[in-house]
Amino acid sequence: MDEYDVAIVGASIAGCAAATMLGRQGAKVALIESHSDPNAFKSLCTHALQPSATPVLERLGLVDSIVAAGGEPGDSYTWTRYGWFTYSDEDASSPFSGRSGWNVRREKLDPMVRDLAVHTDGVESMLGWTVTSLLRSGERVSGVVARGHDGREREIRAKAVVGADGRNSRVAKLAGVRTKVSENKRFIYFAYYRDTPLVTGSDPQVWLLDPDVAYGFPTDAGLTLLACMIPKERLEEFKGDPESAMQRVFAGLADGPRLDPAKRESKVMGSLDVPNLLRGPTAAGLALVGDAAMACDPLPGVGCGFAFQSAAWLSDELGPALKGDAREVDSALSAYASRHREGLRLHGKLISMYSRGGRFTPLLKLLYRGAARDQQLANRAMLVAGRWITPLEMFKEGTFRRLLWVNMRRRLSPLGLVERRTPTPKPVRDTVASDAGAQVVRS
């Protein structure tokens, strides 16, 4: 039987980020992954990293690697029928100022984060091992049983077990963690295209067509991801030839790129059913991070960002407690659960509500019309979209009064598509010391 401080199941971005930060604090970490290929990556992902994840990327020391891999920094331009709006950081204060989101394909990101983890002191990589059951001490999870590709089994005891194994988390299922499912009434198709520039340069564009959604995300290697998220009642229109249907959507977009099938560099990928999943982030001896804790509709592109953020929150709470006994560890896990709920639950509810595919609510109409005419309202809306603040926090600082005032001024003109210089990536900070579903593919 092997003894570790932490057993992390899943070596994608959430698991590897947590392993790295815990290892830097002196923990002995078993990083367990069923894939044996160190370059494995998640293909069904729109690859966006929200701005709120950038401080974690800086802390891990990944920003320079993302830049070297060709990753593109940028803040989204959003279009509704009321006009364009985006975030402007000219007058913003830290941590908002100067921190953009990132666009880098998972093909580049996943191996990068995994390599960082496996070369961190204290982290033992166990690629090619599948967890088959959990070990328990009474009601408390105290380890895992893992089977290698050759059939050998290992019992791994740990002070804490972390499920970082995605939306269909086997760890959560083995632990009996209840999953709350909310239907997503949209489907998604996307593909990567070469030589498909956006009028916003490296800044992504999002079109909220009420209820259809489309977006274009520039990324590494000169590629641009083009995607459509459409209510399921129109599925038959897309299933036979999704790319042609996507082409028709993009042909009607304001200031949009041309979707040219001749420039496609990937398969057309998609999923017809991506429900919203919510689980309690902890149990006795157990924590869930990333999609294992909360898996959302891919439309807002929060999966990667929430993976990094939840991994950081867990390591902050759990790392110091690993020097103590099981009671201290479980107290740290409880603190992590509170932090996770406070930071992400309202975002999850808002995303789940919007995934029902309905038309804009009266409040959203007011918000989008106001944001298209007033930069202060645009900033507040984009702080929520970038996951810097919760939906409730958006209406602090007199925002609701300003929203009503702007909408009452009928003569205010839309700001339009404002060109601005792409933010320069901030230098990587030396923060090591502070760390004491289904895929449908068509050619």
Side-chain angles (χ1 to χ4, degrees):
M1 184 178 298
D2 300 311
E3 298 279 349
Y4 293 85
D5 292 314
V6 184
I8 298 177
V9 183
S12 189
I13 55 179
C16 289
T20 298
M21 288 184 275
L22 288 168
R24 288 176 180 177
Q25 294 178 72
K28 184 180 179 183
V29 181
L31 182 59
I32 307 163
E33 169 58 53
S34 59
H35 290 99
S36 56
D37 182 3
N39 294 313
F41 64 94
K42 183 179 179 181
S43 59
L44 192 63
C45 180
T46 54
H47 77 235
L49 287 161
Q50 294 288 357
S52 54
T54 298
V56 183
L57 300 177
E58 293 171 351
R59 175 175 169 180
L60 288 166
L62 285 171
V63 173
D64 280 351
S65 297
I66 290 173
V67 172
E72 292 282 0
D75 296 314
S76 292
Y77 282 77
T78 301
W79 183 92
T80 71
R81 63 177 178 268
Y82 305 106
W84 285 101
F85 64 92
T86 193
Y87 179 77
S88 173
D89 67 6
E90 290 179 1
D91 300 314
S93 59
S94 180
F96 313 129
S97 180
R99 282 188 167 107
S100 295
W102 289 91
N103 286 282
V104 60
R105 289 176 298 157
R106 298 293 294 271
E107 182 178 352
K108 301 282 187 71
L109 181 64
D110 289 26
M112 181 192 306
V113 183
R114 191 172 298 119
D115 184 69
L116 179 67
V118 301
H119 287 96
T120 298
D121 289 344
V123 177
E124 180 182 338
S125 173
M126 294 178 57
L127 299 183
W129 290 80
T130 300
V131 168
T132 58
S133 61
L134 300 180
L135 301 174
R136 293 183 181 271
S137 296
E139 295 298 314
R140 190 178 190 279
V141 176
S142 58
V144 301
V145 177
R147 179 180 295 124
H149 286 177
D150 59 2
R152 289 187 299 121
E153 285 195 343
R154 290 177 64 176
E155 287 192 0
I156 299 168
R157 289 278 178 189
K159 296 178 180 179
V161 172
V162 177
D165 49 344
R167 66 164 41 240
N168 298 314
S169 174
R170 181 174 178 82
V171 169
K173 188 173 183 179
L174 290 170
V177 177
R178 187 174 68 90
T179 302
K180 183 178 179 180
V181 182
S182 174
E183 183 183 7
N184 181 354
K185 294 186 178 180
R186 289 188 183 92
F187 60 89
I188 179 172
Y189 282 107
F190 66 92
Y192 290 94
Y193 295 82
R194 184 169 300 285
D195 300 325
T196 307
L198 303 183
V199 297
T200 51
S202 64
D203 288 315
Q205 290 177 279
V206 178
W207 293 266
L208 302 180
L209 303 170
D210 191 23
D212 300 350
V213 178
Y215 53 63
F217 287 176
T219 188
D220 60 273
L223 299 176
T224 300
L225 180 143
L226 301 181
C228 288
M229 283 138 286
I230 309 294
K232 289 181 178 178
E233 55 261 29
R234 292 180 57 194
L235 182 57
E236 290 304 316
E237 176 186 338
F238 278 74
K239 284 180 70 174
D241 188 351
E243 187 171 37
S244 292
M246 288 172 59
Q247 197 173 12
R248 291 191 293 273
V249 172
F250 275 86
L253 297 180
D255 301 299
R258 179 177 172 230
L259 191 160
D260 184 352
K263 296 179 179 180
R264 178 160 52 84
E265 292 283 326
S266 73
K267 295 178 179 179
V268 176
M269 294 173 279
S271 183
L272 308 183
D273 189 27
V274 191
N276 301 278
L277 307 179
L278 177 65
R279 301 183 178 99
T282 60
L286 174 72
L288 302 175
V289 293
D291 280 354
M294 189 170 78
C296 296
D297 174 14
L299 188 157
V302 297
C304 295
F306 286 177
F308 280 113
Q309 288 177 271
S310 59
W313 295 336
L314 176 65
S315 67
D316 288 344
E317 301 293 348
L318 181 60
L322 292 171
K323 298 178 175 63
D325 58 17
R327 190 180 312 172
E328 291 178 74
V329 169
D330 285 345
S331 178
L333 295 180
S334 178
Y336 161 68
S338 296
R339 196 167 178 183
H340 190 282
R341 284 191 290 267
E342 180 181 349
L344 300 187
R345 182 154 295 200
L346 281 179
H347 287 297
K349 287 185 176 180
L350 183 67
I351 292 166
S352 176
M353 180 183 70
Y354 193 62
S355 73
R356 295 169 190 164
R359 307 301 294 268
F360 290 161
T361 64
L363 180 58
L364 282 179
K365 290 177 181 178
L366 285 175
L367 177 61
Y368 292 148
R369 186 183 184 279
R373 286 161 173 76
D374 181 77
Q375 188 59 58
Q376 184 174 322
L377 290 176
N379 273 14
R380 298 300 287 177
M382 294 308 293
L383 288 177
V384 176
R387 311 304 155 181
W388 286 115
I389 61 176
T390 68
L392 280 182
E393 289 174 317
M394 179 177 66
F395 289 103
K396 294 181 179 179
E397 302 176 12
T399 300
F400 192 72
R401 289 194 302 271
R402 189 172 187 89
L403 184 64
L404 294 177
W405 179 81
V406 170
N407 275 277
M408 289 173 64
R409 291 171 61 87
R410 294 293 174 179
R411 293 184 180 180
L412 282 180
S413 300
L415 299 173
L417 188 62
V418 180
E419 293 187 10
R420 59 191 173 83
R421 184 169 53 85
T422 300
T424 302
K426 294 176 71 67
V428 180
R429 301 175 182 177
D430 182 9
T431 56
V432 174
S434 69
D435 283 320
Q439 183 174 352
V440 179
V441 178
R442 290 179 171 84
S443 301

